[in-house]
Amino acid sequence: MTIYDISKKAGVSIATVSRVINGSGKVSEKTRKKVLAVVEESGYTPNLFARGLGLNTMHIIGILCVDSSDLFLAKAVYYLEQKLYENGYGCLLCCTGYQQENKEKYMKLLLSKRVDACILVGSSLVGQTLEDSRYIQDAAKEIPVMLLNAYLNGPNLYCVLADDYQATYAAADQLYRAGKRNLLYYYDSNSYSGKEKLRGFQDAMKANGVDKKEQKTLYYSGSREDIPSMKAKLAGLHQSGVAFDGIIASDDNLALSAVKFAQSIGWKIPEEFAVIGYNNSLLAQCCEPELTTIDNHLETLCSQLTATLMDVQGGKPAASRMVFPCTLLPGGTTPALERIPEHSPKRKAASAG
Amino acid sequence: MTIYDISKKAGVSIATVSRVINGSGKVSEKTRKKVLAVVEESGYTPNLFARGLGLNTMHIIGILCVDSSDLFLAKAVYYLEQKLYENGYGCLLCCTGYQQENKEKYMKLLLSKRVDACILVGSSLVGQTLEDSRYIQDAAKEIPVMLLNAYLNGPNLYCVLADDYQATYAAADQLYRAGKRNLLYYYDSNSYSGKEKLRGFQDAMKANGVDKKEQKTLYYSGSREDIPSMKAKLAGLHQSGVAFDGIIASDDNLALSAVKFAQSIGWKIPEEFAVIGYNNSLLAQCCEPELTTIDNHLETLCSQLTATLMDVQGGKPAASRMVFPCTLLPGGTTPALERIPEHSPKRKAASAG
């Protein structure tokens, strides 16, 4: 709500609203109360007043994620907070969960707090349907909306992404060429990023002559923290007679459960069974042997997103979409692989910006 | 800064400041500008205006922690955000790191944003000296300060803690009685909570006839995410000829590194070597075998802290210190132990409140 909306709703001129807000000039007590009632009802008070007085904005950025205690999202939130603080901004943290209704409620909360912009962390916040993403596009009518590792097109929307398609393609392709002919893709998300990874796997298989009908994928729908349940899901597939000698996982948690599963039935890693995880999280180190994992350079993504946001705030031109390559980090869960050439995301960013 | 401070600094009466803030009554343009300049300089604007207008507060709580991506702290921040949101409050997240200077800067930032209260998560924010804790006591002069698993005494300070002393005492005592006579305490923090754990270990050893001179402790000062480095530290101790057949760790990360170390030199777990971790984090599950770990019921602590804060906000009586018992969760890294009797923290809370 702007000063124009308030003037309309209160049935007074903009000049009168301005006088009330600024406390300048004469306004009758009755009119003053009427205007303040509308302002109060709108819920937009503090910043409206700050702006009306020509003072600075609140310098607060809203950060939305489904769960800030998820390993990957926790890192992202931390990096963003650090980089925004360096730029003089505070972070209002919102953990929405997966329910559409709550995502929308939180977004309304952020708008009512008059944040300067908001950052959506991870692609689970972007809806599967246009309708489910409308709350994001609506928010972008009021404030800049930044998406970290998610994609949505529209005005005032800015996306900074890892190239999950390319990374998963390369991982599957290399494992196939290293002799693993029964690869399984194990995943737990149908978000934009999740779909990109799946497509990367499928295309790599196809390029190696494995038809879609013969491709093996397994979807896990439980909690990201329930390693035994992830392991049991794989054991179920194995017991049903499906053969697999390697797993590309959409997340290190799933990859670690695959290593535990293989060890529980005595398969030798990496000779008889190979595993590649995703995110280069703490779990990759915790696994024994350490996981081969895909590093999506999360800190770089967060730096770039913050830099883009600062450009937007400063009225400078800003890329609406920036995609950065990932790196495959070899660990003990795969045979010798070619390392995906190490790109320099910073250099890439400079040429993209 | 209050309306009184502003009147003093602007050299005008409180009534005049009130008229400027409320936009009521006559004030000369010169005086108005002078008052607004002081207000602007103070940096306290938005909420001051909201309050001056008799509107609601911002309904924002500041959350301070050293690093929101640490497994334990990330969970705490998530639980707090969820519980505060249920009560109609937003969370301003601040990751201070370990430098005293930055802790103080962040606290100033929170006060300038006019948060309704602040929550300090984890005891690393409380200084080792009185001087280093003064910024917390100073903040408590302006807003309620809540401490999660930390302790500091003073007006307007409220602490909700796990009984880390008792939990570590019981863990060490049980492992000793199960036959492990060369216990090592492996830790990485000298915070209040860290000291309580160490004291629990030392007292348990003493009660079992192990003099302080014979007690074994090892301090790790590196990154909490560097498992190989934690493992190397233990290997160094082993190579120097110090014998140990069991480890009580102050954190699951350290405990997991101990399991990896033992496996790397072929020690059988738990027959030849036992390990107990702390926090019941995701890493306890990731470890193979799963860690025996101490659960400090973090979600309960966060619920209780939020409930206490709401009581404080509502002007109701609130306990300045609440201590909750922990539970030992048996895993595959210890021989059969007595389970620490499962307390009901909720019931405890009711009697304490």
Side-chain angles (χ1 to χ4, degrees):
Chain A
M1 186 174 286
T2 67
I3 192 166
Y4 307 99
D5 302 318
I6 290 171
S7 91
K8 210 171 157 187
K9 210 164 174 189
V12 300
S13 71
I14 289 166
T16 302
V17 176
S18 172
R19 277 199 294 273
V20 172
I21 290 174
N22 290 313
S24 64
K26 278 187 194 167
V27 183
S28 79
E29 194 58 22
K30 195 180 151 193
T31 303
R32 200 180 76 85
K33 281 194 174 156
K34 193 160 64 180
V35 171
L36 288 178
V38 172
V39 167
E40 182 167 13
E41 207 186 313
S42 76
Y44 281 23
T45 317
N47 222 20
L48 181 67
F49 276 77
R51 285 186 182 155
L53 289 159
L55 302 178
N56 286 332
T57 67
M58 294 284 285
H59 274 84
I60 292 181
I61 307 292
I63 296 192
L64 286 156
C65 65
V66 289
D67 177 356
S68 66
S69 75
D70 171 86
L71 274 180
F72 177 73
L73 299 176
K75 279 277 170 214
V77 167
Y78 171 72
Y79 289 136
L80 288 170
E81 191 278 341
Q82 293 287 291
K83 284 157 211 313
L84 289 167
Y85 177 70
E86 283 167 21
N87 285 281
Y89 286 85
C91 288
L92 204 55
L93 176 67
C94 298
C95 304
T96 65
Y98 290 88
Q99 300 274 325
Q100 181 66 21
E101 188 192 348
N102 290 332
K103 294 175 189 172
E104 294 176 9
K105 267 189 197 167
Y106 264 110
M107 184 63 94
K108 268 184 199 155
L109 174 81
L110 284 181
L111 293 174
S112 79
K113 298 281 187 202
R114 278 311 229 196
V115 295
D116 295 280
C118 78
I119 301 174
L120 276 60
V121 183
S123 50
S124 297
L125 285 160
V126 179
Q128 299 288 321
T129 65
L130 273 179
E131 188 51 39
D132 282 353
S133 293
R134 198 172 309 277
Y135 78 104
I136 303 172
Q137 270 147 342
D138 285 347
K141 289 174 190 164
E142 301 189 41
I143 49 171
V145 176
M146 319 296 297
L147 290 95
L148 181 74
N149 221 30
Y151 180 62
L152 190 64
N153 197 13
N156 218 14
L157 287 164
Y158 304 88
C159 308
V160 177
L161 298 126
D163 196 341
D164 293 322
Y165 170 83
Q166 188 53 43
T168 319
Y169 184 105
D173 184 54
Q174 287 204 44
L175 218 45
Y176 188 89
R177 293 210 237 163
K180 304 295 176 191
R181 293 299 143 94
N182 275 305
L183 289 178
L184 173 72
Y185 180 64
Y186 194 22
Y187 67 116
D188 69 351
S189 165
N190 284 311
S191 67
Y192 175 79
S193 159
K195 280 180 184 150
E196 285 288 289
K197 291 177 188 173
L198 178 60
R199 203 165 60 82
F201 174 79
Q202 290 169 334
D203 285 0
M205 290 294 94
K206 204 176 152 192
N208 282 292
V210 183
D211 282 349
K212 195 147 189 185
K213 276 199 326 195
E214 298 161 45
Q215 291 170 12
K216 289 164 189 166
T217 62
L218 181 64
Y219 179 72
Y220 169 78
S221 61
S223 158
R224 280 219 166 159
E225 307 229 325
D226 191 350
I227 308 280
S229 176
M230 295 172 190
K231 188 179 148 192
K233 182 102 189 169
L234 281 174
L237 188 74
H238 172 63
Q239 278 155 18
S240 75
V242 176
F244 47 95
D245 58 4
I247 283 185
I248 312 282
S250 67
D251 192 288
D252 284 341
N253 303 37
L254 291 168
L256 184 135
S257 80
V259 169
K260 286 206 168 209
F261 159 72
Q263 287 168 341
S264 72
I265 58 170
W267 287 351
K268 275 191 188 152
I269 296 173
E271 296 81 1
E272 297 171 1
F273 186 69
V275 180
I276 297 181
Y278 216 109
N279 287 340
N280 187 22
S281 71
L282 181 58
L283 297 200
Q285 266 186 45
C286 289
C287 194
E288 188 63 46
E290 283 189 25
L291 288 175
T292 295
T293 185
I294 293 164
D295 185 351
N296 49 19
H297 303 291
L298 184 58
E299 187 168 4
T300 301
L301 297 182
C302 293
S303 292
Q304 289 296 334
L305 184 142
T306 305
T308 303
L309 175 55
M310 292 306 123
D311 284 345
V312 172
Q313 295 292 89
K316 291 181 199 155
S320 63
R321 191 181 185 188
M322 293 169 88
V323 181
F324 292 89
C326 303
T327 309
L328 185 65
L329 292 179
T333 59
T334 46
L337 302 171
E338 302 159 41
R339 196 178 161 100
I340 299 180
E342 180 101 41
H343 295 267
S344 163
K346 289 225 160 142
R347 199 156 43 74
K348 275 265 165 190
S351 64
Chain B
M1 186 174 285
T2 67
I3 194 166
Y4 305 99
D5 302 317
I6 291 170
S7 92
K8 208 170 161 189
K9 208 163 175 190
V12 301
S13 71
I14 289 166
T16 302
V17 176
S18 172
R19 277 200 293 275
V20 172
I21 289 173
N22 291 313
S24 63
K26 278 189 194 164
V27 183
S28 79
E29 194 58 22
K30 194 178 151 197
T31 303
R32 201 180 76 85
K33 280 193 176 156
K34 192 160 64 180
V35 171
L36 288 179
V38 172
V39 167
E40 183 168 12
E41 205 187 312
S42 77
Y44 281 22
T45 318
N47 221 22
L48 179 68
F49 275 76
R51 286 188 181 152
L53 289 158
L55 303 178
N56 288 331
T57 66
M58 294 284 287
H59 272 86
I60 292 181
I61 307 292
I63 297 191
L64 286 157
C65 65
V66 289
D67 177 355
S68 66
S69 75
D70 171 85
L71 275 179
F72 177 73
L73 300 176
K75 280 278 170 213
V77 167
Y78 171 72
Y79 290 136
L80 288 170
E81 190 280 339
Q82 293 287 291
K83 283 157 212 315
L84 289 168
Y85 177 70
E86 284 168 21
N87 284 281
Y89 286 84
C91 288
L92 204 56
L93 177 67
C94 298
C95 304
T96 64
Y98 291 88
Q99 299 274 325
Q100 180 68 19
E101 186 193 348
N102 290 330
K103 294 176 188 172
E104 294 176 9
K105 268 190 195 166
Y106 264 110
M107 184 62 95
K108 268 184 199 154
L109 174 81
L110 284 180
L111 293 174
S112 80
K113 298 282 185 202
R114 278 309 230 196
V115 294
D116 295 281
C118 78
I119 302 174
L120 276 59
V121 184
S123 49
S124 298
L125 284 160
V126 179
Q128 300 287 322
T129 63
L130 273 179
E131 188 52 39
D132 282 351
S133 293
R134 197 172 311 276
Y135 78 104
I136 304 173
Q137 269 148 340
D138 284 346
K141 289 175 190 163
E142 300 189 39
I143 49 171
V145 176
M146 319 294 298
L147 290 95
L148 182 72
N149 221 30
Y151 180 63
L152 190 64
N153 196 15
N156 219 15
L157 286 165
Y158 303 88
C159 308
V160 178
L161 299 126
D163 196 341
D164 293 321
Y165 170 83
Q166 187 54 43
T168 318
Y169 184 106
D173 184 54
Q174 287 202 43
L175 218 46
Y176 189 90
R177 292 211 237 164
K180 304 294 177 191
R181 296 296 144 97
N182 274 305
L183 290 178
L184 174 71
Y185 180 63
Y186 194 23
Y187 67 115
D188 69 352
S189 164
N190 284 313
S191 67
Y192 175 80
S193 159
K195 281 181 185 149
E196 284 290 288
K197 290 176 188 173
L198 178 61
R199 202 166 60 84
F201 174 81
Q202 289 169 335
D203 285 0
M205 290 295 93
K206 201 176 156 194
N208 282 290
V210 183
D211 281 349
K212 196 149 188 183
K213 276 200 323 195
E214 298 161 46
Q215 291 171 11
K216 289 167 190 164
T217 63
L218 182 64
Y219 179 72
Y220 169 79
S221 61
S223 158
R224 280 219 165 161
E225 306 228 324
D226 190 350
I227 308 282
S229 176
M230 296 172 190
K231 189 180 146 192
K233 181 101 190 170
L234 281 173
L237 189 73
H238 173 62
Q239 277 155 18
S240 76
V242 176
F244 48 94
D245 58 4
I247 283 185
I248 312 282
S250 67
D251 192 288
D252 284 341
N253 303 35
L254 291 168
L256 185 135
S257 80
V259 169
K260 286 205 169 210
F261 159 71
Q263 287 168 343
S264 72
I265 56 170
W267 287 352
K268 277 192 186 151
I269 297 172
E271 296 80 1
E272 296 171 2
F273 187 69
V275 180
I276 298 182
Y278 216 109
N279 287 341
N280 187 22
S281 71
L282 181 58
L283 296 201
Q285 265 185 45
C286 289
C287 194
E288 188 63 48
E290 283 189 26
L291 288 175
T292 295
T293 185
I294 292 164
D295 185 351
N296 50 18
H297 303 290
L298 184 58
E299 186 168 5
T300 301
L301 298 182
C302 292
S303 292
Q304 289 296 335
L305 183 143
T306 307
T308 303
L309 175 55
M310 292 305 123
D311 285 345
V312 172
Q313 295 292 89
K316 292 180 198 157
S320 63
R321 190 181 187 188
M322 293 169 87
V323 181
F324 293 90
C326 304
T327 310
L328 184 65
L329 293 178
T333 57
T334 46
L337 301 172
E338 302 159 41
R339 196 178 162 97
I340 299 180
E342 179 102 42
H343 295 269
S344 163
K346 290 227 161 139
R347 198 157 43 74
K348 274 269 168 187
S351 65

